[in-house]
Amino acid sequence: MTGALRVAVVGGGPGGLYTAALLKRLDPDREITVWERNAPDDTFGFGIVLSDETLGGIEHADPVVYEALRKEFVRWDAIDIVHRGIRHTCGGHGFAALGRRRLLHILHERCRSLGVELRFRTPAPPPDRLRETHDLVVAADGVRSATRGRYADVFRPRVTGHRCRYIWLAADLAFDAFRFEIAETEHGVMQLHGYPYAAGSSTVIVEMREEVWRAAGFDALDERESVERCAKIFADALGGRPLHSNRSVWTTFRTVTNARWSHGNLVLLGDAAHTAHFSIGSGTKLAVEDALALAACLEEQPSLPKALAAYEEERKPVVASTQRAARASLEWFEDLALHLDRPPRQFAFGLLTRSRRVTHANLRMRDPRFTEAVEREFGCPPGTPPMFTPFRLRGLTLRNRVVVSPMDMYSAVDGVPGDFHLVHLGARALGGAGLVMTEMVCVSPEGRITPGCTGLWSGKQAEAWRRITDFVHRQAPGTAIGVQLGHSGRKGSTRRMWEGMDEPLPRGNWPLVAASPLPYRPGSQIPRQLTRARLTDIREQFVNAAVRAARAGFDLLELHCAHGYLLSGFLSPLTNLRTDAYGGSLERRLRFPLEVFDAVREVWPEERPMTVRISATDWAEGGTTAEEAVEIARAFAAHGADAIDVSTGQVVAEEQPEFGRSYQVPFADRIRRAVGVPVIAVGAISSWDDVNSLILAGRADLCALGRPHLYDPHWTLHAAVEQGYTGPAAVWPAPYRAGSRRPPTGRTDAPKPRLTLGR
């Protein structure tokens, strides 16, 4: 976009200043003014951390700023984790930090040298006026952005509070690593996050749960008293030195998101647009990256509307990914007390991999000695990745930690699995997974989701399943096969997925039943509320199906209490509105699913394990909470469940899932820690690196993968090849052994030019 442009920047923090400098450098004819209500040296933090990626962007965009920053940086590559008097160090990470005040001075100097007008101690004019008098208005006025608030109906911000209090302080010493220190006090667990930012200076953040903060009396202390108290609690880490504040106050982190980032000629940037918890990095980093993207889009696009649309399109996915990682990190620290009793090195590994951005493979590359020590403590034999360690459930030992997740195929005729199911399940058993699960196998014709669902309500169906289990046991010895039993409830009598997911059948519908007479979505059939007599009938259908499953040779049985199907419908307060003994409190909502579980466990062979799949959240207001999910898991474990398969959602049509890589794992982790029951983690786990990371960190005992096994039936065997593993946990079938090495591809290592001449 060419031509002179009058630009107003609201907010003189790093994001606003760097935006002004970039825009002025790219077009000296621009008239750019920055309004900052505070004085030039006013800042409320101490040090900031920038990644190598961000620094690379700065270097290419403005070498002058980069060179000034480079001279100031404190660099280090280690992370120290101190817990219960033991320090674990992991190297190879690479950090660069400098003082926030020094960063502001560098940006002030750069802006002035370019001709940007800086107005300190001057509140910006109202945004309506700025929009009239300027071609572009950049709102970089922070997490409490007044500009964003003025147009809240357009930007549709969402501000989410969290459960910890923290305070930003400084110490007169330079840590030699990024330091995490845990203090277990009489009031609860507290943590210190610290890193150097200048010679002899470190940023120190002290954080704890709200209830711990109040129990420790911090709510009654002034700033000086709080600082002195924190210094005493973390005296060992500080070497007895005092802490310093800078108008520091205890606050709670707030996650900011916006549906839109621009409105006409106004655009949000930095904390005004988004925030990400400090435990994964700096808000300054995101703001600087926003500035780089905005400047580039203004340079590349032919008009302002297209430039702002391109900026939002480029940055939104990146920020959303960062916020998902930040949310995972934030919640790990919120639930820190649940992790304290993990083995020491596993605790450290869990902290390092909490955001899911640092993984097992990352750490093996960064610090092999540290990672190998974690593996030894976990029990990995030499050369054995965590995913290829065995796991025992009751009388069944799985040779590895990979599960082929239940996936509905909708390809049966009258509930009978046919050749398709033999090939589908048989191929995945030959592919090396420790456990292969069937789709949801329905306990009655009325319990089907679609006409293509499989069943176990007849002897003919049981015989067909026996053909499949015999194939798995004979041709893929060492692979177990499990059956998932369920009843569709109000989500039945629909078309096959590829014909219209959750759409009612055009003809041949059967009547539906459910905990309460609520349709799944508008246009869906209204189910009948189950009477006591019908509850008994359905319980017996589960029992009869379990007996047939045992005779069919299945090694494990899973009871499907998730995804809004019949038993799940009893558990959720959104779908169970009953006023009898089976509705109301969680204890009553659990009653029928537990009755079914007990009845099935009674007939299921004692030595064979039984698991339960649950939806740990409904992703909808008023639905099952994470705390209730723990109690649901606790109840099933008390009744004899050998593991909990932790999924989420699909209970109500109006759900709003927070999708992302391994997005359901935190629910499994929480249940595993709180209940002490083995868990199966599911949900966008796609790589063997993810599986290794989750298993080694103790977040899950088994990992169930669906789509990866549709893409590659031999996913597990290929994971072994890619990691150089050969051993009993990943045995290639004899006819396939010739394919156990990756086929050669076209040459990609042609000699590079020895000399490249510039223009």
Side-chain angles (χ1 to χ4, degrees):
M1 188 173 71
T2 60
L5 201 68
R6 295 194 72 214
V7 180
V9 178
V10 183
L17 291 168
Y18 192 53
T19 300
L22 286 175
L23 295 182
K24 188 69 172 176
R25 180 172 183 268
L26 289 169
D27 186 349
D29 292 333
R30 286 174 172 142
E31 297 178 21
I32 301 178
T33 306
V34 177
W35 279 271
E36 171 54 54
R37 71 174 73 187
N38 297 306
D41 287 338
D42 284 351
T43 183
F44 303 101
F46 294 94
I48 61 100
V49 179
L50 295 175
S51 69
D52 287 341
E53 181 182 12
T54 305
L55 293 174
I58 294 173
E59 182 178 13
H60 285 90
D62 193 337
V64 173
V65 170
Y66 175 79
E67 184 61 24
L69 294 175
R70 188 188 63 79
K71 293 176 181 177
E72 301 287 337
F73 279 136
V74 174
R75 290 185 176 272
W76 72 100
D77 72 353
I79 296 175
D80 281 350
I81 298 165
V82 183
H83 171 44
R84 293 181 175 170
I86 301 174
R87 181 171 72 173
H88 295 287
T89 299
C90 180
H93 296 274
F95 298 99
L98 78 163
R100 183 177 176 87
R101 183 172 283 121
R102 184 62 190 130
L103 171 63
L104 291 175
H105 287 172
I106 290 171
L107 294 175
H108 292 163
E109 292 169 7
R110 185 57 171 155
C111 284
R112 290 191 182 100
S113 71
L114 292 166
V116 174
E117 183 178 357
L118 303 179
R119 297 185 181 181
F120 295 106
R121 301 184 181 90
T122 308
D128 292 345
R129 190 186 311 166
L130 287 175
R131 292 182 65 206
E132 291 176 358
T133 57
H134 291 77
D135 300 303
L136 173 65
V137 180
V138 179
D141 48 347
V143 65
R144 294 177 176 82
S145 171
T147 315
R148 183 186 67 221
R150 168 65 183 82
Y151 301 105
D153 59 327
V154 176
F155 295 124
R156 301 198 301 279
R158 180 182 177 188
V159 181
T160 305
H162 300 287
R163 297 180 291 176
C164 283
R165 291 267 185 170
Y166 70 95
I167 189 169
W168 208 283
L169 304 169
D172 293 332
L173 80 159
F175 292 126
D176 56 5
F178 206 126
R179 189 180 184 97
F180 295 97
E181 180 133 354
I182 314 303
E184 295 177 72
T185 74
E186 60 183 313
H187 308 294
V189 64
M190 306 175 187
Q191 59 260 23
L192 174 149
H193 310 239
Y195 57 87
Y197 68 87
S201 298
S202 291
T203 290
V204 172
I205 305 169
V206 177
E207 184 183 27
M208 65 197 73
R209 287 281 288 255
E210 172 84 17
E211 59 269 27
V212 177
W213 180 76
R214 292 189 180 279
F218 281 109
D219 57 331
L221 302 181
D222 62 22
E223 181 179 350
R224 179 186 59 80
E225 292 168 329
S226 282
V227 172
E228 291 176 353
R229 183 80 177 278
C230 289
K232 289 180 181 178
I233 292 170
F234 292 101
D236 287 346
L238 301 170
R241 296 174 179 82
L243 288 168
H244 307 292
S245 65
N246 178 17
R247 287 179 286 176
S248 304
V249 296
W250 289 99
T251 188
T252 56
F253 189 82
R254 298 191 296 176
T255 298
V256 174
T257 60
N258 285 277
R260 291 183 58 184
W261 289 12
S262 64
H263 173 47
N265 64 340
L266 171 66
V267 64
L268 302 179
L269 184 141
D271 283 355
H274 49 72
T275 60
H277 193 249
F278 56 80
S279 62
I280 70 158
S282 170
T284 302
K285 170 186 179 297
L286 288 177
V288 167
E289 291 172 352
D290 284 353
L292 288 163
L294 178 60
C297 290
L298 288 168
E299 192 75 4
E300 295 162 357
Q301 299 298 324
S303 67
L304 182 64
K306 288 187 176 181
L308 298 187
Y311 161 71
E312 193 166 337
E313 183 179 2
E314 175 182 338
R315 289 297 294 159
K316 259 189 159 180
V318 176
V319 169
S321 175
T322 300
Q323 288 185 314
R324 285 192 296 269
R327 181 67 179 261
S329 177
L330 176 154
E331 291 178 346
W332 194 92
F333 282 111
E334 283 185 336
D335 293 331
L336 182 58
L338 294 176
H339 306 295
L340 295 176
D341 291 330
R342 288 181 174 174
R345 288 188 177 87
Q346 188 182 72
F347 175 86
F349 182 85
L351 189 153
L352 292 169
T353 60
R354 66 196 180 279
S355 72
R356 304 191 287 273
R357 288 197 157 186
V358 176
T359 65
H360 174 257
N362 294 152
L363 291 179
R364 281 193 67 85
M365 181 171 57
R366 296 179 187 190
D367 193 335
R369 292 181 61 185
F370 170 81
T371 310
E372 288 166 7
V374 179
E375 293 170 348
R376 285 195 302 272
E377 183 182 77
F378 181 78
C380 297
T384 301
M387 66 184 291
F388 292 119
T389 56
F391 190 73
R392 187 174 181 84
L393 288 171
R394 203 170 282 240
L396 177 66
T397 298
L398 302 176
R399 65 182 177 185
N400 61 53
R401 307 298 186 100
V402 179
V403 178
V404 176
S405 196
M407 294 176 283
D408 290 315
M409 294 289 106
Y410 309 115
S411 299
V413 178
D414 296 326
V416 178
D419 290 347
F420 175 89
H421 298 86
L422 175 66
V423 173
H424 167 67
L425 294 170
R428 279 136 192 93
L430 291 171
L435 172 64
V436 175
M437 292 297 301
T438 69
E439 61 197 85
M440 184 176 88
V441 177
C442 305
V443 298
S444 68
E446 299 78 18
R448 291 174 296 166
I449 308 167
T450 76
C453 290
T454 58
L456 260 173
W457 65 81
S458 74
K460 183 178 181 181
Q461 292 160 353
E463 290 174 5
W465 283 118
R466 184 78 205 199
R467 176 183 176 223
I468 294 170
T469 63
D470 282 348
F471 176 89
V472 171
H473 293 145
R474 183 175 60 254
Q475 299 295 340
T479 296
I481 182 167
V483 62
Q484 186 188 69
L485 291 185
H487 187 296
S488 62
R490 69 176 188 152
K491 294 178 74 175
S493 193
T494 64
R495 307 180 193 191
R496 292 171 175 85
M497 181 175 62
W498 50 87
E499 297 170 345
M501 189 171 178
D502 296 323
E503 292 286 340
L505 290 169
R507 66 188 66 84
N509 286 280
W510 55 85
L512 303 181
V513 295
S516 298
L518 302 171
Y520 178 61
R521 66 182 192 179
S524 296
Q525 186 183 151
I526 299 175
R528 296 195 311 271
Q529 179 168 307
L530 285 163
T531 63
R532 172 66 263 189
R534 287 291 290 127
L535 290 175
T536 301
D537 292 342
I538 289 175
R539 185 189 67 202
E540 291 308 304
Q541 290 171 354
F542 273 95
V543 168
N544 293 335
V547 170
R548 294 188 183 98
R551 292 173 181 166
F554 286 105
D555 302 299
L556 175 149
L557 185 148
E558 179 166 282
L559 190 64
H560 202 338
C561 297
H563 299 169
Y565 298 123
L566 182 67
L567 299 182
S568 171
F570 275 86
L571 293 173
S572 172
L574 295 177
T575 53
N576 184 345
L577 306 183
R578 301 173 73 104
T579 57
D580 62 3
Y582 293 94
S585 67
L586 178 59
E587 182 181 7
R588 290 186 173 190
R589 300 199 308 273
L590 270 161
R591 184 176 175 183
F592 183 60
L594 288 174
E595 285 181 359
V596 173
F597 180 91
D598 290 343
V600 170
R601 180 69 267 184
E602 181 69 23
V603 300
W604 186 244
E606 175 66 23
E607 72 282 1
R608 299 187 206 178
M610 186 169 164
T611 64
V612 179
R613 173 169 276 200
I614 67 170
S615 284
T617 177
D618 297 339
W619 299 115
E621 186 175 352
T624 300
T625 65
E627 291 75 19
E628 285 185 320
V630 168
E631 295 309 312
I632 291 169
R634 196 186 308 278
F636 279 114
H639 281 246
D642 297 291
I644 305 297
D645 186 353
V646 186
S647 187
T648 65
Q650 302 179 54
V651 175
V652 292
E654 61 272 21
E655 68 176 2
Q656 294 185 310
E658 297 177 5
F659 291 118
R661 177 168 154 233
S662 306
Y663 71 105
Q664 297 177 147
V665 170
F667 297 96
D669 189 5
R670 184 182 182 89
I671 286 170
R672 188 177 189 270
R673 292 291 122 208
V675 181
V677 63
V679 297
I680 305 169
V682 302
I685 303 170
S686 57
S687 72
W688 50 258
D689 192 18
D690 287 340
V691 176
N692 283 329
S693 300
L694 297 173
I695 298 300
L696 191 57
R699 295 190 174 99
D701 299 285
L702 300 168
C703 290
L705 299 91
R707 289 179 177 85
H709 280 111
L710 293 180
Y711 180 77
D712 179 6
H714 288 76
W715 186 89
T716 306
L717 292 179
H718 291 153
V721 171
E722 289 168 14
Q723 296 175 81
Y725 170 76
T726 57
V731 178
W732 283 77
Y736 287 0
R737 284 176 190 161
S740 62
R741 290 181 295 176
R742 184 188 292 274
T745 58
R747 184 175 179 181
T748 60
D749 61 342
K752 303 292 189 296
R754 298 191 59 219
L755 180 64
T756 301
L757 297 176
R759 294 181 181 178

